[in-house]
Amino acid sequence: MAQTSRRQETRKIASLGLAAWVLLLPIALVSLGIWQTQRAAETLEHARRSSAELSTTLAQVKNIAASDPTAILTFQGAGEPTSLAALVAVSQIEEALSQADEELEISQIRRPLVWGTIGGAVLAFFGGALGLMAAGISGIRARVSQRQLIASFQRLRSLLPFILATVVIGFSIGVISAALFEAVSMGLWADFTTGSAKLFAVAVVLAVIAAYSAFTALRGLKDVFALFTPEPLVAAGRVIEETEAPELWRFVRSLAGRQHALLPDTIIVGLGQGFFVTESQLRLWPEDRLVTGRSLYLPAAYLDLLDQAEIAAIIGHELAHFSGEDTTYSQQFTPIYAGLWRALAALGRADGGRFVLYPAVNLGFHAMQRFDHAVAHWSRLREFDADRSGSLLATPADAASALIRTGIIAPAVAYVLQRAYAGPDDTGSDDAWPDLVAQTTELVTTNGWSDPMPLLGDRQPHPTDSHPPTIQRISALGVEIGDDLLRRAMRQPEPGARSFADDLFSDWAGLCRLLSKDFIDDGRMMRDRRREVLEKVVAGASQETVVYDNVKPMIWTMVIVAMIFAGFGLTVVFLSGQLGLGYDEFAQSLIAAITAFGAVTSLLYAAFLYRSAARPLMVLTPDALLASRLDKPVAWTDVAGYAVYASSRFALRLWLNQDAPVPKKHWRAIYSKIDRRQRIITLGALGIKGMKAADFSALVGRYHEAAYARQELAAAMLHPSRDASADETAGKY
């Protein structure tokens, strides 16, 4: 209940945030536009009136100046009356008229911008409101039926790009117009100071950013407008022709006929974990074969450990997705739905999008999330219906047993495959390749099963769809999880007995060895690639590198400081009379002593730095970092992470692993620090000689990565068949 409440609270906050961006922000822009309209009208009227009055006054004064240039004229302004000669008055009135005409021109330029602010904000508001309304209505209709889900999504998919474009264009026009209005308005300020110039620059930059963001956003929208071509799913397996497994095809054809479901065009067997069907394109490894049409994927290890009734229930479940509205759903909805999600994600990552793009992207995600609830709802019902359909080909108890048994088979399959993936490379012929399917069966025969109860909350693996938890699917079948069901699901394979899969395939053992060879070949190839990468990383840091403290700038600084002290002291001694210290010998002595002490101290520090410059600051070896500030080296494999800082002061910070020894620092290393509680080492310096902070950080990174790469290579040579992830899984058996 608490988790549901938190989820609802999160959704409520997200909805309020979206409303603020999509609705309240455009309203705020409209309010700004209305305020700008009032200001623009007042300024324009004032400029027109001033221009007209000054033009009339100038004509009158020019007439007076023509007849009597020395005439004294009195003008009544806002303050005290001002008296000027006629010729001087003409000059000042002309200047004022020029300024008034400039203000009139600026006011005329500003006036259309307010309509851009208001119009853009209104456009963004209606686009956002329409988007929220369309998303809400489509989400409600999508819950009526799968057919309505597809129809509603197709309508929204056609409408959504135009809505997003409307929001982006409207918001961009509003922001650009508002920013330019304020930038132009600064030309009317009487005191255009340095601060005013900065505000002007900020407004112009804001407008440019908004314009560029709009351009980037609209360019990114082409990913949403464009018809999405689904990418093929990738799977490992072999296509099984009817000549290779006639009984399998006869069995599947019989199940499809009993269900009145469509027969798959292709049956694929692999070592993957999970049964599934798809009508999307499949690219099969290792043959790099593109499979189209209806495909049924069968995992070999599961086939070897399930009986006929359980396999019938599972295949019946999968074939049920080829009947009714599921076919249309998987063909017309699922690929395009996933594609639109990817298009929106790409739009959200568009460079320069920033604040102009943010409302539109959030609106798009909101619309898709409204469908997510409906998709999850129908996906859940589809799985329950498919379970019921599959159970009709056996019994509900067989279907429930299959659900539990596939859950407990998964850890055994994962363990065997992980061990094989990191296994040795000593196989020399086809006959030497192990049978990983037989190994899985032997593993559970010898060691038994893991506890099924914790697995009941898991979901069956599938490359495209999500499934309800296993316990809910069993409950929907009307089967109680009791001792009889668990005993049936956890039965041990009989040693030496033929599995049902042996009857379905002409050469079941040969197929399993072929699939195992494919899998191990892939593991070998990936290990070779990994080894090549690791060896390249190790080679990049195979020699030691000595770095020195960058003391030269500080030495020169200290010399200059010493010269300043000395110059001030000499000035006081030889020019004491001019400075008013001629009769104060104590003051002269005190100042001379202080300046001499400062000069000597600065020179001594400079000399200390000069001597220390010859000592290495750090030595980076392939195995460890040797620092003059520390009493012992720090092994690179003891370092969990690092960072280089060069803001207020240069420093290298190392985060140690929990079991790593923590060194001590020398007492003279005043800018270095050891935090034993947090296990952090901070090595301070003036800088790295001949190297920028970014270059030094990259150098440390190369040694750090190379040490871990060397450790991984050594472990692979010492234990070629061991794998950490496999060892973790081994604890279950």
Side-chain angles (χ1 to χ4, degrees):
M1 290 293 292
Q3 187 175 2
T4 302
S5 177
R6 284 195 299 270
R7 194 180 298 115
Q8 291 175 348
E9 187 68 24
T10 302
R11 281 201 292 263
K12 186 183 297 183
I13 294 173
S15 299
L16 291 175
L18 178 66
W21 275 99
V22 175
L23 300 178
L24 297 183
L25 189 57
I27 291 174
L29 268 178
V30 170
S31 302
L32 176 61
I34 293 173
W35 180 50
Q36 289 178 339
T37 302
Q38 296 173 350
R39 291 162 55 198
E42 292 173 358
T43 304
L44 181 61
E45 177 62 27
H46 178 267
R48 284 174 176 170
R49 187 170 57 251
S50 297
S51 179
E53 292 176 353
L54 287 171
S55 296
T56 303
T57 304
L58 179 61
Q60 295 173 352
V61 173
K62 278 185 175 181
N63 290 333
I64 297 173
S67 59
D68 186 4
T70 60
I72 302 299
L73 303 177
T74 301
F75 297 92
Q76 180 64 48
E80 295 294 328
T82 303
S83 298
L84 298 171
L87 286 178
V88 176
V90 168
S91 176
Q92 292 193 2
I93 294 173
E94 286 178 343
E95 183 179 351
L97 179 60
S98 176
Q99 184 176 352
D101 289 340
E102 183 179 343
E103 292 181 359
L104 178 60
E105 185 177 352
I106 292 175
S107 299
Q108 290 172 339
I109 293 174
R110 290 199 316 167
R111 194 167 189 181
L113 293 175
V114 301
W115 300 114
T117 303
I118 296 174
V122 170
L123 186 64
F125 177 85
F126 280 109
L130 179 62
L132 291 175
M133 187 183 307
I137 294 173
S138 298
I140 293 172
R141 288 181 175 177
R143 297 182 70 91
V144 175
S145 67
Q146 286 193 70
R147 190 179 300 275
Q148 188 60 252
L149 167 65
I150 297 170
S152 298
F153 177 74
Q154 288 176 337
R155 283 194 295 268
L156 183 66
R157 175 175 166 267
S158 301
L159 186 62
L160 187 60
F162 296 98
I163 292 175
L164 299 187
T166 300
V167 173
V168 170
I169 293 172
F171 192 35
S172 300
I173 292 174
V175 171
I176 293 170
S177 299
L180 290 179
F181 179 93
E182 298 302 332
V184 173
S185 299
M186 294 176 192
L188 302 176
W189 294 7
D191 51 343
F192 195 75
T193 61
T194 303
S196 306
K198 291 180 180 178
L199 291 176
F200 176 81
V202 168
V204 172
V205 168
L206 181 62
V208 171
I209 291 175
Y212 176 73
S213 301
F215 168 75
T216 306
L218 293 175
R219 185 179 61 183
L221 277 173
K222 73 179 188 301
D223 294 329
V224 182
F225 277 109
L227 179 63
F228 176 74
T229 302
E231 296 178 359
L233 298 174
V234 179
R238 296 277 180 168
V239 173
I240 305 300
E241 304 293 347
E242 190 161 359
T243 55
E244 301 175 80
E247 291 300 322
L248 171 66
W249 277 93
R250 188 177 296 113
F251 180 65
V252 173
R253 189 175 289 110
S254 171
L255 296 177
R258 291 166 60 187
Q259 282 186 298
H260 304 288
L262 295 173
L263 188 69
D265 300 311
T266 308
I267 297 179
I268 302 163
V269 177
L271 294 181
Q273 300 184 43
F275 296 79
F276 68 87
V277 292
T278 182
E279 295 189 65
S280 301
Q281 291 183 335
L282 264 178
R283 186 168 297 281
L284 280 185
W285 173 89
E287 299 174 292
D288 194 22
R289 178 175 177 178
L290 188 64
V291 178
T292 59
R294 295 181 299 275
S295 300
L296 169 64
Y297 186 94
L298 306 174
Y302 290 69
L303 292 177
D304 206 49
L305 289 166
L306 296 166
D307 62 22
Q308 180 175 351
E310 292 167 335
I311 293 175
I314 293 175
I315 294 180
H317 168 102
E318 300 300 339
L319 294 180
H321 291 308
F322 286 150
S323 63
E325 295 181 349
D326 275 10
T327 298
T328 306
Y329 182 91
S330 59
Q331 282 182 330
Q332 300 182 12
F333 177 76
T334 304
I336 301 175
Y337 182 72
L340 189 55
W341 261 114
R342 282 192 285 271
L344 282 172
L347 182 63
R349 294 191 299 268
D351 292 337
R354 302 295 186 265
F355 64 93
V356 173
L357 185 58
Y358 191 78
V361 172
N362 277 270
L363 179 60
F365 282 129
H366 170 75
M368 294 298 290
Q369 287 166 355
R370 296 290 294 177
F371 272 94
D372 270 354
H373 302 306
V375 169
H377 171 73
W378 291 115
S379 177
R380 177 189 180 91
L381 294 183
R382 287 170 65 235
E383 294 306 319
F384 288 152
D385 289 341
D387 283 339
R388 283 191 291 270
S389 181
S391 69
L392 296 177
L393 301 178
T395 66
D398 292 326
S401 174
L403 286 170
I404 296 176
R405 195 166 178 83
T406 52
I408 59 177
I409 289 173
V413 173
Y415 173 72
V416 171
L417 294 185
Q418 287 168 352
R419 296 278 296 187
Y421 203 76
D425 302 324
D426 55 358
T427 52
S429 65
D430 289 345
D431 294 336
W433 291 104
D435 183 345
L436 300 180
V437 176
Q439 286 186 11
T440 305
T441 302
E442 182 182 356
L443 176 68
V444 297
T445 301
T446 304
N447 297 329
W449 301 101
S450 56
D451 184 6
M453 300 309 293
L455 303 175
L456 295 180
D458 293 345
R459 303 171 188 269
Q460 296 292 332
H462 193 280
T464 56
D465 293 334
S466 61
H467 291 70
T470 300
I471 192 169
Q472 293 183 11
R473 297 173 66 182
I474 294 175
S475 177
L477 289 170
V479 178
E480 181 182 354
I481 302 177
D483 293 339
D484 292 340
L485 177 62
L486 293 176
R487 191 179 304 112
R488 164 141 167 64
M490 298 181 66
R491 67 188 181 278
Q492 292 290 100
E494 297 181 9
R498 285 172 57 87
S499 67
F500 181 59
D502 284 296
D503 300 329
L504 295 177
F505 295 85
S506 300
D507 184 8
W508 174 241
L511 174 62
C512 292
R513 283 196 299 272
L514 178 61
L515 296 174
S516 301
K517 178 181 181 299
D518 292 342
F519 186 84
I520 294 172
D521 276 345
D522 180 59
R524 172 189 292 173
M525 181 180 64
M526 296 304 295
R527 289 197 305 276
D528 289 343
R529 290 180 180 176
R530 176 68 177 170
R531 186 181 300 112
E532 290 176 3
V533 172
L534 294 176
E535 289 173 349
K536 186 176 180 180
V537 171
V538 169
S542 58
Q543 303 294 327
E544 70 176 29
T545 301
V546 181
V547 295
Y548 295 88
D549 204 349
N550 190 24
V551 298
K552 188 175 181 180
M554 183 58 71
I555 291 175
W556 279 108
T557 301
M558 290 297 100
V559 170
I560 293 172
V561 170
M563 293 173 63
I564 293 173
F565 273 117
F568 183 73
L570 292 174
T571 301
V572 169
V573 172
F574 292 104
L575 300 176
S576 57
Q578 289 83 344
L579 295 176
L581 301 174
Y583 302 102
D584 194 343
E585 295 182 359
F586 175 77
Q588 293 180 21
S589 301
L590 180 61
I591 294 174
I594 293 174
T595 54
F597 177 80
V600 171
T601 302
S602 300
L603 290 174
L604 288 175
Y605 185 54
F608 169 77
L609 292 176
Y610 181 78
R611 290 186 60 188
S612 66
R615 296 195 305 269
L617 175 67
M618 302 176 196
V619 179
L620 286 71
T621 71
D623 297 320
L625 170 69
L626 288 73
S628 59
R629 271 73 164 158
L630 304 177
D631 66 337
K632 58 184 175 181
V634 178
W636 291 117
T637 51
D638 287 340
V639 178
Y642 75 94
V644 174
Y645 300 93
S647 53
S648 58
R649 189 170 184 85
F650 191 92
L652 169 63
R653 182 164 294 173
L654 306 174
W655 284 267
L656 301 182
N657 294 317
Q658 287 299 319
D659 56 347
V662 181
K664 298 178 181 179
K665 75 179 185 71
H666 294 304
W667 63 270
R668 292 179 299 176
I670 57 175
Y671 296 115
S672 297
K673 181 181 179 182
I674 303 293
D675 187 338
R676 295 187 173 277
R677 187 172 184 180
Q678 299 293 329
R679 309 184 69 78
I680 299 174
I681 300 174
T682 302
L683 300 175
L686 296 174
I688 302 298
K689 184 179 180 180
M691 197 177 297
K692 294 181 179 180
D695 297 330
F696 179 67
S697 179
L699 177 67
V700 173
R702 286 199 297 273
Y703 278 91
H704 186 232
E705 292 173 7
Y708 276 98
R710 191 179 299 103
Q711 185 183 60
E712 185 175 339
L713 287 172
M717 292 180 63
L718 185 61
H719 302 289
S721 63
R722 285 178 62 93
D723 180 77
S725 57
D727 289 341
E728 292 175 5
T729 311
K732 301 177 181 177
Y733 295 100

